[in-house]
Amino acid sequence: MPSAGAAQAKKGRGSSVSGPSFKSCRPPIEKGRWAAKGTKPLPEQASVQHVLSLILVHGCRKVLFVQTEVKITLYSIGLFFGSLICDFLPLPKVYMGMKDNFFNVYYVKVAWAWMILFVGAFILLTSATIGCGRREVIKRHMSRLLIGTCFWYFWSQWFFSIVENRTGACLGKAIIKDKYECNEGGYHWHSFDISGHAFLLVYINLVIVEEAKSIVGWEGIREQIRLEDHKRQEDLKRSEPDSGDKQTILEHLPEKEYVILKMNYDQFTPYIRGLFVFMTLMSVLSDVMLTCTIIFFHTMPQKIAGGAIAMATWFITYRVWFKSDASPGLPGCGLFQYQNLKDKAKEAPIKRRGSLCKEHKDGLPTFMGMPLYGLKKDKDDKKKEGEKEDDRSSLEDFGEPSADSRFQPRNGPFGDYVPKNRSWKR
């Protein structure tokens, strides 16, 4: 057992330590503007429902956003070669080959109504969000659907009917010149019937792909709102806005429009995701029904004519007209640009890497912002040597000329030879 003296000595050693402790020796942490500068709030924890919805939307994007050129190529090959093969092959009688099948009656026959319902709601909610509630922005985007409806009605409800009536004849009763009278009389009207199904299904698919592009970069708006909230809160705390803060795409929005954007984004985003899923299902179902049309209905020239008109209408509107100034504009155009933000962020580090070596204000090369003064000394030495050489050459020119080169041929005022070191001016 330790003695009492040892315990007292141990206690004395412990009590002999004076002054501040180890923790108190650390320098105090300074807190000020610099400490808050550069910090940003952390994003909120995502719920399970939010993560699952993002996974579903990502899968739908993989299905829907196939390159339009690839889709047009597949449609062209299918309408030509697929229809040509099916015109000469005996086809079995299946349910999808009947005109009164469920999908043909309740989807294809009223496909444009489904188009107005889902795509129209998608355009309305997205334009109300990126337009910050401005009616002129909403009307401009909704006018694209109105233009598409006009084209659909012109081609399928008017032009195709005129072509069918003008190119047809009543089999068994040639005196009848009207399609409806021929069919009511129990006869068959034979004509060049442009495939309305091929036109409708191809056109719907192309329009859905174009209008759905508004969702590209949509989730990045949440991040921009979070950064802008932090920036505006910091600006309220400071007397003057800090120019060193990171700029956002929403900083130019007035307070009223910014509040509307936040409210609409939070309320409409779940519905926009759901409508996007339904639009993807419409696109897939349209492709399936187009395949059935290629196999079972109409002839090859009729289907090619319908598909070609649909592709030409899409190209004239979305690739030519809507890109001009006098147009409703393309999907995703609002009061701020929220798409392609990742591409811009990737370009910034490349520029920073290329700017490691710049020029100083004195003309010196720098490395990582520090001027290389050693190169300045070499540059000055070369400059001095060049000046000395110039002085030597000037002294030789004004020195005593040699005997064989005392007179140099020059053009004097009278065309005579004049001495080299003399001048006509006195």
Side-chain angles (χ1 to χ4, degrees), residues 105-145:
V105 174
Y106 293 101
Y107 177 70
V108 180
K109 296 292 184 181
V110 290
W112 200 258
W114 293 110
M115 178 83 172
I116 294 176
L117 178 62
F118 290 109
V119 179
F122 181 84
I123 297 174
L124 177 64
L125 296 182
T126 53
S127 60
T129 303
I130 62 178
C132 301
R134 287 191 180 183
R135 293 185 178 181
E136 58 271 17
V137 178
I138 298 174
K139 290 178 181 179
R140 189 175 72 247
H141 285 281
M142 291 297 292
S143 62
R144 288 196 306 270
L145 186 60

Side-chain angles (χ1 to χ4, degrees), residues 68-305:
T68 311
E69 291 76 10
V70 175
K71 277 201 168 188
I72 290 177
T73 303
L74 294 177
Y75 291 157
S76 303
I77 294 174
L79 290 172
F80 183 79
F81 292 102
S83 301
L84 185 63
I85 295 172
C86 294
D87 285 347
F88 294 98
L89 290 179
L91 300 175
K93 292 184 179 180
V94 295
Y95 177 74
M96 296 301 292
M98 301 179 182
K99 291 185 177 180
D100 58 346
N101 68 74
F102 177 83
F103 298 102
N104 192 44
V105 174
Y106 293 101
Y107 177 70
V108 180
K109 296 292 184 181
V110 290
W112 200 258
W114 293 110
M115 178 83 172
I116 294 176
L117 178 62
F118 290 109
V119 179
F122 181 84
I123 297 174
L124 177 64
L125 296 182
T126 53
S127 60
T129 303
I130 62 178
C132 301
R134 287 191 180 183
R135 293 185 178 181
E136 58 271 17
V137 178
I138 298 174
K139 290 178 181 179
R140 189 175 72 247
H141 285 281
M142 291 297 292
S143 62
R144 288 196 306 270
L145 186 60
L146 178 61
I147 292 170
T149 303
C150 294
F151 275 110
W152 163 79
Y153 185 84
F154 171 79
W155 292 118
S156 62
Q157 305 298 320
W158 186 74
F159 181 77
F160 294 169
S161 300
I162 291 178
V163 172
E164 187 179 6
N165 287 327
R166 295 289 178 87
T167 60
C170 187
L171 299 179
K173 196 74 172 179
I175 193 173
I176 301 177
K177 301 297 182 181
D178 185 70
K179 172 186 174 181
Y180 298 101
E181 292 181 6
C182 179
N183 293 333
E184 289 178 0
Y187 303 101
H188 177 68
W189 184 263
H190 181 72
S191 63
F192 184 77
D193 183 16
I194 300 176
S195 178
H197 282 43
F199 163 79
L200 181 64
L201 297 172
V202 172
Y203 189 53
I204 280 179
N205 248 314
L206 296 177
V207 171
I208 286 177
V209 171
E210 293 292 339
E211 294 297 338
K213 290 180 180 178
S214 298
I215 206 170
V216 176
W218 191 263
E219 300 302 327
I221 300 178
R222 183 186 301 276
E223 176 68 14
Q224 295 297 322
I225 290 176
R226 186 171 63 86
L227 295 176
E228 185 64 20
D229 279 342
H230 174 68
K231 182 180 178 182
R232 298 197 178 198
Q233 290 174 3
E234 292 296 323
D235 290 344
L236 290 176
K237 296 178 182 178
R238 296 190 289 258
S239 59
E240 295 181 359
D242 191 357
S243 58
D245 287 348
K246 183 179 179 181
Q247 296 181 353
T248 65
I249 60 175
L250 308 175
E251 60 183 358
H252 67 280
L253 293 179
E255 186 65 25
K256 181 180 179 181
E257 294 180 348
Y258 179 68
V259 171
I260 295 175
L261 168 65
K262 292 173 57 179
M263 181 179 62
N264 290 349
Y265 184 83
D266 292 337
Q267 293 180 356
F268 296 157
T269 296
Y271 299 102
I272 290 172
R273 295 194 188 114
L275 291 170
F276 179 75
V277 173
F278 277 105
M279 289 166 62
T280 305
L281 295 176
M282 280 186 61
S283 177
V284 173
L285 185 57
S286 298
D287 286 336
V288 172
M289 297 309 298
L290 179 61
T291 304
C292 296
T293 301
I294 291 173
I295 297 174
F296 298 107
F297 304 107
H298 293 279
T299 62
M300 186 263 289
Q302 296 171 355
K303 286 176 279 192
I304 289 180

